[in-house]
Amino acid sequence: MEISGFISAVIIGIVIGILGRLVVPGRQRIGIIWTILVGVVAALVGTFIAAAFDVADTKGIDWIELAIQVVLAGVGVAALDRSRSTRR
């Protein structure tokens, strides 16, 4: 992976992670690094799922792919928050 691809993945991960945090109600007790990591993973997995259902390449903005990524990020943020809150 080239450096530009890595930077793009991090930027997309930040956006997807923040959107994922916004769809989860309440306060999440995870840091920004975890949010970015969840966002990057959700973006990658969401892209794979969208490609599997053949909705990844459309004209304009891929709204279905974006929705899949945000839902996955929300699930990831909620799961990570829940797992961290049960340890305390």
Coordinates of all heavy atoms in Angstrom, one line a residue:
M1 N 0.8 -1.2 0.0 CA 0.0 0.0 0.0 C 0.9 1.2 0.0 O 1.8 1.3 0.8 CB -0.9 0.0 1.2 CG -1.7 1.2 1.4 SD -2.7 1.3 2.9 CE -4.2 0.5 2.3
E2 N 0.6 2.2 -0.9 CA 1.3 3.4 -0.9 C 0.9 4.3 0.2 O -0.1 4.1 0.8 CB 1.1 4.1 -2.3 CG 1.6 3.3 -3.4 CD 1.3 4.0 -4.7 OE1 1.0 5.2 -4.7 OE2 1.4 3.3 -5.8
I3 N 1.7 5.3 0.5 CA 1.5 6.3 1.6 C 0.2 7.0 1.3 O -0.6 7.3 2.2 CB 2.7 7.2 1.8 CG1 2.5 8.0 3.1 CG2 2.9 8.1 0.6 CD1 2.6 7.2 4.3
S4 N -0.1 7.4 0.1 CA -1.4 8.1 -0.2 C -2.6 7.2 0.0 O -3.6 7.7 0.5 CB -1.4 8.6 -1.7 OG -1.3 7.5 -2.6
G5 N -2.5 5.9 -0.2 CA -3.6 5.0 0.1 C -3.8 4.9 1.6 O -4.9 4.8 2.1
F6 N -2.7 4.8 2.3 CA -2.8 4.8 3.8 C -3.4 6.0 4.4 O -4.3 5.9 5.2 CB -1.4 4.6 4.4 CG -1.3 4.5 5.9 CD1 -1.8 3.4 6.6 CD2 -0.9 5.6 6.6 CE1 -1.8 3.3 7.9 CE2 -0.9 5.5 8.0 CZ -1.3 4.4 8.7
I7 N -3.0 7.2 3.9 CA -3.5 8.4 4.3 C -5.0 8.5 4.0 O -5.8 9.0 4.8 CB -2.7 9.6 3.8 CG1 -1.3 9.7 4.4 CG2 -3.5 11.0 4.0 CD1 -0.4 10.6 3.7
S8 N -5.4 8.1 2.8 CA -6.8 8.1 2.4 C -7.6 7.1 3.3 O -8.7 7.5 3.7 CB -7.0 7.6 1.0 OG -6.3 8.5 0.1
A9 N -7.1 6.0 3.7 CA -7.8 5.0 4.5 C -8.0 5.7 5.9 O -9.0 5.5 6.5 CB -7.0 3.7 4.6
V10 N -7.0 6.4 6.4 CA -7.1 7.0 7.8 C -8.1 8.1 7.7 O -9.0 8.2 8.6 CB -5.7 7.5 8.2 CG1 -5.9 8.4 9.5 CG2 -4.8 6.4 8.5
I11 N -8.1 8.9 6.7 CA -9.1 10.0 6.6 C -10.5 9.5 6.5 O -11.4 9.9 7.2 CB -8.8 10.9 5.4 CG1 -7.5 11.7 5.7 CG2 -9.9 11.9 5.1 CD1 -6.9 12.5 4.6
I12 N -10.7 8.5 5.6 CA -12.0 7.8 5.5 C -12.4 7.2 6.8 O -13.6 7.2 7.2 CB -12.0 6.8 4.3 CG1 -11.9 7.6 3.0 CG2 -13.3 6.0 4.3 CD1 -11.7 6.8 1.8
G13 N -11.4 6.5 7.5 CA -11.7 5.9 8.8 C -12.1 6.9 9.8 O -13.0 6.6 10.6
I14 N -11.5 8.1 9.8 CA -11.9 9.1 10.8 C -13.4 9.5 10.5 O -14.2 9.6 11.5 CB -11.0 10.3 10.6 CG1 -9.6 10.0 11.2 CG2 -11.6 11.5 11.4 CD1 -8.6 11.1 10.9
V15 N -13.7 9.8 9.3 CA -15.1 10.2 8.9 C -16.1 9.1 9.3 O -17.1 9.3 9.9 CB -15.2 10.6 7.4 CG1 -16.6 10.8 7.0 CG2 -14.3 11.8 7.2
I16 N -15.8 7.9 8.9 CA -16.7 6.7 9.1 C -16.8 6.5 10.7 O -17.9 6.2 11.2 CB -16.3 5.5 8.4 CG1 -16.3 5.7 6.9 CG2 -17.1 4.3 8.8 CD1 -17.7 5.9 6.3
G17 N -15.7 6.6 11.4 CA -15.7 6.4 12.8 C -16.5 7.4 13.5 O -17.3 7.1 14.5
I18 N -16.4 8.7 13.1 CA -17.2 9.8 13.7 C -18.7 9.6 13.4 O -19.5 9.7 14.3 CB -16.7 11.1 13.3 CG1 -15.3 11.4 13.9 CG2 -17.6 12.2 13.6 CD1 -14.6 12.6 13.3
L19 N -19.0 9.2 12.2 CA -20.4 9.0 11.9 C -20.9 7.8 12.7 O -22.1 7.8 13.1 CB -20.5 8.8 10.4 CG -20.3 10.0 9.5 CD1 -20.3 9.6 8.0 CD2 -21.4 11.1 9.8
G20 N -20.1 6.8 12.8 CA -20.5 5.6 13.6 C -20.8 6.0 15.1 O -21.7 5.5 15.7
R21 N -19.9 6.9 15.6 CA -20.2 7.4 17.0 C -21.5 8.2 17.1 O -22.2 8.1 18.1 CB -19.0 8.2 17.5 CG -17.8 7.4 17.9 CD -16.8 8.3 18.5 NE -17.1 8.6 19.9 CZ -16.2 8.6 20.8 NH1 -14.9 8.3 20.5 NH2 -16.5 8.9 22.0
L22 N -21.8 8.9 16.1 CA -23.0 9.8 16.1 C -24.3 8.9 16.1 O -25.3 9.4 16.6 CB -23.0 10.7 14.9 CG -22.0 11.9 15.0 CD1 -22.0 12.7 13.7 CD2 -22.3 12.8 16.2
V23 N -24.2 7.8 15.4 CA -25.5 6.9 15.4 C -25.7 6.1 16.6 O -26.8 5.6 16.8 CB -25.5 6.0 14.1 CG1 -25.4 6.8 12.8 CG2 -24.4 5.0 14.1
V24 N -24.7 6.0 17.5 CA -24.8 5.3 18.7 C -25.3 6.2 19.8 O -24.6 7.2 20.1 CB -23.5 4.6 19.1 CG1 -23.6 3.9 20.5 CG2 -23.0 3.6 18.1
P25 N -26.4 6.0 20.4 CA -26.9 6.9 21.5 C -26.0 6.9 22.7 O -25.4 5.8 23.0 CB -28.3 6.4 21.7 CG -28.3 5.0 21.3 CD -27.3 4.8 20.2
G26 N -26.0 8.0 23.4 CA -25.3 8.0 24.7 C -23.8 8.4 24.5 O -23.4 8.7 23.4
R27 N -23.1 8.4 25.6 CA -21.7 8.7 25.6 C -20.9 7.5 25.4 O -21.1 6.5 26.1 CB -21.4 9.4 26.9 CG -19.9 9.9 27.0 CD -19.7 10.7 28.2 NE -18.3 11.1 28.3 CZ -17.4 10.7 29.2 NH1 -17.8 9.9 30.1 NH2 -16.2 11.1 29.1
Q28 N -19.9 7.5 24.6 CA -19.0 6.4 24.4 C -17.7 6.7 25.1 O -17.1 7.8 25.0 CB -18.7 6.1 22.9 CG -19.9 5.7 22.1 CD -20.7 6.8 21.6 OE1 -20.2 7.9 21.3 NE2 -22.1 6.7 21.6
R29 N -17.2 5.7 25.8 CA -15.9 5.9 26.6 C -14.7 5.3 25.9 O -14.0 4.5 26.5 CB -16.1 5.3 28.0 CG -17.1 6.1 28.8 CD -17.4 5.3 30.1 NE -18.4 6.0 30.8 CZ -19.7 5.8 30.7 NH1 -20.2 4.9 29.8 NH2 -20.6 6.4 31.4
I30 N -14.6 5.6 24.6 CA -13.4 5.1 23.8 C -12.7 6.3 23.3 O -13.4 7.4 23.0 CB -13.8 4.1 22.7 CG1 -14.7 4.8 21.7 CG2 -14.5 2.9 23.3 CD1 -14.9 3.9 20.5
G31 N -11.5 6.2 23.1 CA -10.7 7.3 22.6 C -10.7 7.5 21.1 O -11.3 6.7 20.4
I32 N -10.1 8.5 20.6 CA -10.1 8.9 19.2 C -9.3 7.8 18.4 O -9.7 7.5 17.3 CB -9.6 10.3 19.0 CG1 -9.8 10.7 17.5 CG2 -8.1 10.4 19.3 CD1 -11.2 11.0 17.2
I33 N -8.3 7.3 18.9 CA -7.5 6.3 18.2 C -8.4 5.0 18.0 O -8.4 4.5 16.8 CB -6.2 5.9 19.0 CG1 -5.3 7.1 19.2 CG2 -5.5 4.7 18.3 CD1 -4.8 7.7 17.9
W34 N -9.1 4.6 19.0 CA -10.0 3.5 18.8 C -11.1 3.8 17.8 O -11.5 2.9 17.0 CB -10.6 3.0 20.1 CG -9.7 2.3 21.0 CD1 -9.1 2.7 22.1 CD2 -9.2 1.0 20.7 NE1 -8.3 1.7 22.6 CE2 -8.3 0.6 21.7 CE3 -9.4 0.0 19.7 CZ2 -7.6 -0.6 21.8 CZ3 -8.7 -1.2 19.7 CH2 -7.8 -1.5 20.8
T35 N -11.6 5.0 17.8 CA -12.7 5.4 16.9 C -12.1 5.4 15.4 O -12.8 4.9 14.5 CB -13.1 6.9 17.2 OG1 -13.6 6.9 18.5 CG2 -14.2 7.3 16.2
I36 N -10.9 5.8 15.2 CA -10.3 5.8 13.9 C -10.1 4.3 13.5 O -10.4 4.0 12.3 CB -9.0 6.5 13.9 CG1 -9.2 8.0 14.1 CG2 -8.2 6.3 12.6 CD1 -8.0 8.8 14.3
L37 N -9.6 3.5 14.4 CA -9.4 2.1 14.0 C -10.7 1.4 13.7 O -10.7 0.6 12.7 CB -8.7 1.4 15.2 CG -7.2 1.8 15.4 CD1 -6.7 1.1 16.6 CD2 -6.4 1.4 14.2
V38 N -11.7 1.6 14.5 CA -13.0 1.0 14.2 C -13.5 1.6 12.8 O -14.1 0.8 12.0 CB -14.0 1.4 15.3 CG1 -15.5 1.0 14.9 CG2 -13.7 0.6 16.6
G39 N -13.3 2.8 12.6 CA -13.7 3.4 11.3 C -13.0 2.8 10.1 O -13.6 2.6 9.1
V40 N -11.7 2.6 10.2 CA -10.9 2.1 9.1 C -11.4 0.6 8.9 O -11.6 0.2 7.7 CB -9.4 2.1 9.4 CG1 -8.6 1.3 8.5 CG2 -8.9 3.5 9.4
V41 N -11.6 -0.2 9.9 CA -12.0 -1.5 9.7 C -13.4 -1.6 9.2 O -13.7 -2.4 8.2 CB -12.0 -2.3 11.1 CG1 -12.6 -3.7 11.0 CG2 -10.5 -2.5 11.5
A42 N -14.3 -0.7 9.6 CA -15.7 -0.7 9.1 C -15.7 -0.2 7.6 O -16.5 -0.8 6.9 CB -16.5 0.3 9.9
A43 N -14.8 0.7 7.3 CA -14.7 1.1 5.9 C -14.3 0.0 5.0 O -14.8 -0.2 3.9 CB -13.8 2.3 5.8
L44 N -13.3 -0.8 5.4 CA -12.8 -1.9 4.6 C -13.8 -3.0 4.5 O -14.0 -3.5 3.4 CB -11.4 -2.4 5.2 CG -10.3 -1.4 5.1 CD1 -9.1 -2.0 5.9 CD2 -9.9 -1.2 3.7
V45 N -14.4 -3.4 5.6 CA -15.3 -4.5 5.6 C -16.6 -4.0 4.9 O -17.2 -4.8 4.1 CB -15.7 -4.9 7.1 CG1 -16.8 -5.9 7.1 CG2 -14.4 -5.5 7.7
G46 N -17.0 -2.8 5.1 CA -18.2 -2.3 4.4 C -18.0 -2.3 2.9 O -18.9 -2.6 2.1
T47 N -16.8 -1.9 2.4 CA -16.5 -1.9 1.0 C -16.6 -3.3 0.4 O -17.1 -3.6 -0.6 CB -15.1 -1.3 0.7 OG1 -15.1 0.0 1.2 CG2 -14.8 -1.4 -0.7
F48 N -16.0 -4.3 1.2 CA -16.1 -5.7 0.8 C -17.5 -6.2 0.7 O -17.9 -6.9 -0.3 CB -15.3 -6.6 1.8 CG -15.3 -8.0 1.5 CD1 -14.6 -8.5 0.4 CD2 -16.1 -8.9 2.2 CE1 -14.6 -9.9 0.1 CE2 -16.1 -10.2 1.9 CZ -15.4 -10.7 0.9
I49 N -18.3 -5.9 1.7 CA -19.7 -6.3 1.7 C -20.5 -5.7 0.5 O -21.3 -6.3 -0.2 CB -20.4 -6.0 3.0 CG1 -19.8 -6.9 4.1 CG2 -21.9 -6.1 2.9 CD1 -20.3 -6.5 5.5
A50 N -20.3 -4.4 0.3 CA -20.9 -3.7 -0.8 C -20.5 -4.3 -2.2 O -21.3 -4.4 -3.1 CB -20.6 -2.2 -0.8
A51 N -19.2 -4.7 -2.3 CA -18.8 -5.3 -3.5 C -19.4 -6.7 -3.7 O -19.8 -7.1 -4.8 CB -17.3 -5.4 -3.5
A52 N -19.6 -7.4 -2.6 CA -20.2 -8.7 -2.7 C -21.7 -8.6 -3.1 O -22.2 -9.5 -3.8 CB -20.1 -9.4 -1.3
F53 N -22.4 -7.5 -2.7 CA -23.8 -7.4 -3.1 C -23.9 -6.5 -4.4 O -25.0 -6.2 -4.8 CB -24.6 -6.7 -2.0 CG -24.9 -7.6 -0.9 CD1 -24.3 -7.5 0.3 CD2 -25.8 -8.7 -1.1 CE1 -24.6 -8.3 1.4 CE2 -26.1 -9.5 0.0 CZ -25.4 -9.4 1.2
D54 N -22.7 -6.2 -5.0 CA -22.7 -5.5 -6.3 C -23.3 -4.1 -6.2 O -24.0 -3.7 -7.1 CB -23.3 -6.3 -7.4 CG -22.8 -5.9 -8.8 OD1 -21.7 -5.3 -8.9 OD2 -23.6 -6.0 -9.8
V55 N -23.1 -3.4 -5.1 CA -23.6 -2.0 -5.0 C -22.4 -1.1 -4.7 O -22.7 0.1 -4.3 CB -24.7 -1.9 -3.8 CG1 -25.9 -2.7 -4.2 CG2 -24.1 -2.4 -2.5
A56 N -21.2 -1.5 -4.9 CA -20.1 -0.7 -4.6 C -19.8 0.4 -5.6 O -19.3 1.4 -5.3 CB -18.8 -1.5 -4.3
D57 N -20.0 0.0 -6.9 CA -19.7 0.9 -8.0 C -21.0 1.5 -8.6 O -21.6 0.8 -9.4 CB -18.8 0.2 -9.0 CG -17.5 -0.1 -8.5 OD1 -16.9 0.7 -7.7 OD2 -17.0 -1.2 -8.8
T58 N -21.4 2.7 -8.2 CA -22.5 3.3 -8.8 C -22.1 4.7 -9.3 O -21.0 5.2 -9.0 CB -23.6 3.5 -7.8 OG1 -23.2 4.3 -6.7 CG2 -24.1 2.1 -7.3
K59 N -22.9 5.3 -10.1 CA -22.6 6.7 -10.5 C -22.8 7.6 -9.4 O -23.8 7.6 -8.7 CB -23.5 7.1 -11.7 CG -23.3 6.3 -12.9 CD -24.2 6.8 -14.1 CE -23.9 5.9 -15.3 NZ -24.7 6.3 -16.4
G60 N -21.9 8.5 -9.2 CA -22.0 9.5 -8.1 C -21.5 8.9 -6.7 O -20.7 8.0 -6.7
I61 N -22.1 9.3 -5.7 CA -21.8 8.9 -4.3 C -22.4 7.5 -4.1 O -23.6 7.3 -4.4 CB -22.2 9.9 -3.3 CG1 -21.6 11.2 -3.5 CG2 -22.0 9.4 -1.9 CD1 -22.1 12.3 -2.6
D62 N -21.6 6.6 -3.5 CA -22.1 5.3 -3.2 C -22.8 5.3 -1.9 O -22.2 4.9 -0.8 CB -21.0 4.2 -3.2 CG -20.3 4.1 -4.6 OD1 -21.1 4.3 -5.6 OD2 -19.1 3.9 -4.6
W63 N -24.1 5.7 -1.9 CA -24.8 5.9 -0.6 C -25.0 4.6 0.1 O -25.0 4.5 1.4 CB -26.2 6.5 -0.9 CG -26.0 8.0 -1.3 CD1 -26.3 8.4 -2.6 CD2 -25.6 9.1 -0.5 NE1 -26.0 9.8 -2.6 CE2 -25.6 10.2 -1.4 CE3 -25.2 9.2 0.8 CZ2 -25.2 11.5 -1.0 CZ3 -24.8 10.5 1.2 CH2 -24.9 11.6 0.4
I64 N -25.3 3.5 -0.6 CA -25.5 2.2 0.1 C -24.2 1.7 0.7 O -24.3 1.3 1.9 CB -26.0 1.2 -0.9 CG1 -27.4 1.6 -1.5 CG2 -26.1 -0.2 -0.3 CD1 -27.9 0.8 -2.6
E65 N -23.1 1.9 0.1 CA -21.8 1.5 0.6 C -21.5 2.3 1.9 O -21.1 1.8 2.9 CB -20.7 1.6 -0.4 CG -19.4 1.2 0.1 CD -18.3 1.4 -1.0 OE1 -18.6 1.8 -2.1 OE2 -17.1 1.1 -0.7
L66 N -21.8 3.6 1.8 CA -21.6 4.5 2.9 C -22.4 4.1 4.1 O -22.0 4.1 5.3 CB -21.8 6.0 2.5 CG -21.6 7.0 3.6 CD1 -20.2 7.0 4.1 CD2 -22.1 8.4 3.1
A67 N -23.7 3.8 3.8 CA -24.6 3.4 4.9 C -24.1 2.1 5.6 O -24.2 2.0 6.8 CB -26.0 3.2 4.4
I68 N -23.7 1.1 4.8 CA -23.1 -0.1 5.3 C -21.9 0.2 6.2 O -21.8 -0.4 7.3 CB -22.8 -1.1 4.2 CG1 -24.0 -1.6 3.5 CG2 -22.0 -2.3 4.7 CD1 -23.7 -2.3 2.2
Q69 N -21.0 1.0 5.8 CA -19.9 1.4 6.5 C -20.2 2.0 7.9 O -19.6 1.7 8.9 CB -18.9 2.2 5.7 CG -18.3 1.5 4.5 CD -17.6 2.5 3.6 OE1 -17.9 3.7 3.5 NE2 -16.7 2.0 2.8
V70 N -21.2 3.0 7.8 CA -21.5 3.7 9.0 C -22.2 2.8 10.0 O -22.0 2.8 11.2 CB -22.4 4.9 8.7 CG1 -23.0 5.5 9.9 CG2 -21.6 5.9 7.9
V71 N -23.1 1.9 9.5 CA -23.7 0.9 10.4 C -22.7 0.0 11.1 O -22.7 -0.3 12.3 CB -24.8 0.1 9.7 CG1 -25.2 -1.1 10.5 CG2 -26.0 1.0 9.3
L72 N -21.7 -0.5 10.3 CA -20.7 -1.3 10.8 C -19.8 -0.6 11.9 O -19.5 -1.1 12.9 CB -19.8 -1.9 9.7 CG -20.4 -2.9 8.8 CD1 -19.4 -3.3 7.7 CD2 -20.7 -4.2 9.6
A73 N -19.6 0.7 11.6 CA -18.8 1.5 12.6 C -19.6 1.7 13.8 O -19.0 1.7 14.9 CB -18.4 2.9 11.9
G74 N -20.9 2.0 13.7 CA -21.7 2.1 14.9 C -21.8 0.8 15.7 O -21.6 0.9 17.0
V75 N -21.9 -0.3 15.1 CA -21.8 -1.6 15.8 C -20.5 -1.8 16.5 O -20.4 -2.2 17.6 CB -22.2 -2.7 14.8 CG1 -21.9 -4.1 15.5 CG2 -23.6 -2.7 14.4
G76 N -19.4 -1.4 15.7 CA -18.1 -1.6 16.3 C -17.8 -0.7 17.5 O -17.3 -1.1 18.5
V77 N -18.3 0.6 17.4 CA -18.1 1.5 18.5 C -18.9 1.1 19.7 O -18.4 1.1 20.8 CB -18.6 3.0 18.0 CG1 -18.7 3.9 19.2 CG2 -17.5 3.6 17.1
A78 N -20.2 0.7 19.5 CA -21.0 0.2 20.6 C -20.4 -1.1 21.3 O -20.4 -1.2 22.5 CB -22.4 -0.1 20.1
A79 N -19.9 -2.0 20.4 CA -19.3 -3.2 21.0 C -18.0 -2.9 21.8 O -17.8 -3.4 22.9 CB -19.0 -4.2 19.9
L80 N -17.2 -2.0 21.2 CA -16.0 -1.7 21.9 C -16.3 -0.9 23.2 O -15.6 -1.2 24.3 CB -15.1 -0.9 21.0 CG -13.7 -0.6 21.5 CD1 -12.9 -1.8 21.8 CD2 -12.9 0.3 20.5
D81 N -17.2 0.0 23.2 CA -17.6 0.7 24.4 C -18.2 -0.2 25.4 O -17.8 -0.1 26.6 CB -18.6 1.8 24.0 CG -19.0 2.6 25.2 OD1 -18.1 3.1 26.0 OD2 -20.2 2.8 25.5
R82 N -19.0 -1.1 25.0 CA -19.6 -2.1 26.0 C -18.5 -3.0 26.6 O -18.5 -3.3 27.8 CB -20.6 -3.0 25.3 CG -21.3 -4.0 26.2 CD -22.5 -4.6 25.6 NE -23.5 -3.5 25.4 CZ -24.6 -3.6 26.1 NH1 -24.9 -4.5 26.9 NH2 -25.5 -2.6 25.9
S83 N -17.5 -3.4 25.8 CA -16.5 -4.3 26.3 C -15.6 -3.6 27.2 O -15.1 -4.1 28.2 CB -15.7 -5.0 25.1 OG -14.9 -4.0 24.5
R84 N -15.3 -2.3 27.0 CA -14.4 -1.5 27.8 C -15.2 -1.1 29.1 O -14.5 -1.0 30.2 CB -13.9 -0.3 27.1 CG -13.0 -0.7 26.0 CD -12.5 0.5 25.2 NE -11.8 1.5 26.1 CZ -10.5 1.5 26.4 NH1 -9.8 0.4 26.0 NH2 -10.0 2.4 27.1
S85 N -16.5 -0.9 29.1 CA -17.2 -0.5 30.3 C -17.4 -1.7 31.2 O -17.6 -1.5 32.4 CB -18.5 0.1 29.9 OG -19.4 -0.8 29.3
T86 N -17.4 -2.9 30.7 CA -17.6 -4.0 31.6 C -16.4 -4.4 32.4 O -16.4 -5.0 33.4 CB -18.1 -5.3 30.9 OG1 -17.1 -5.6 29.8 CG2 -19.4 -5.1 30.2
R87 N -15.2 -3.9 31.9 CA -14.0 -4.2 32.6 C -13.8 -3.3 33.9 O -13.0 -3.6 34.8 CB -12.8 -3.9 31.7 CG -12.6 -5.0 30.6 CD -11.3 -4.8 30.0 NE -11.5 -5.0 28.5 CZ -10.6 -4.7 27.6 NH1 -9.6 -3.9 27.9 NH2 -10.8 -5.0 26.4
R88 N -14.5 -2.2 33.9 CA -14.3 -1.3 35.0 C -15.1 -1.6 36.2 O -16.1 -2.2 36.3 CB -14.6 0.2 34.6 CG -13.6 0.6 33.5 CD -13.9 1.9 33.0 NE -13.0 2.2 31.9 CZ -12.9 3.4 31.4 NH1 -13.6 4.4 31.7 NH2 -12.1 3.6 30.4

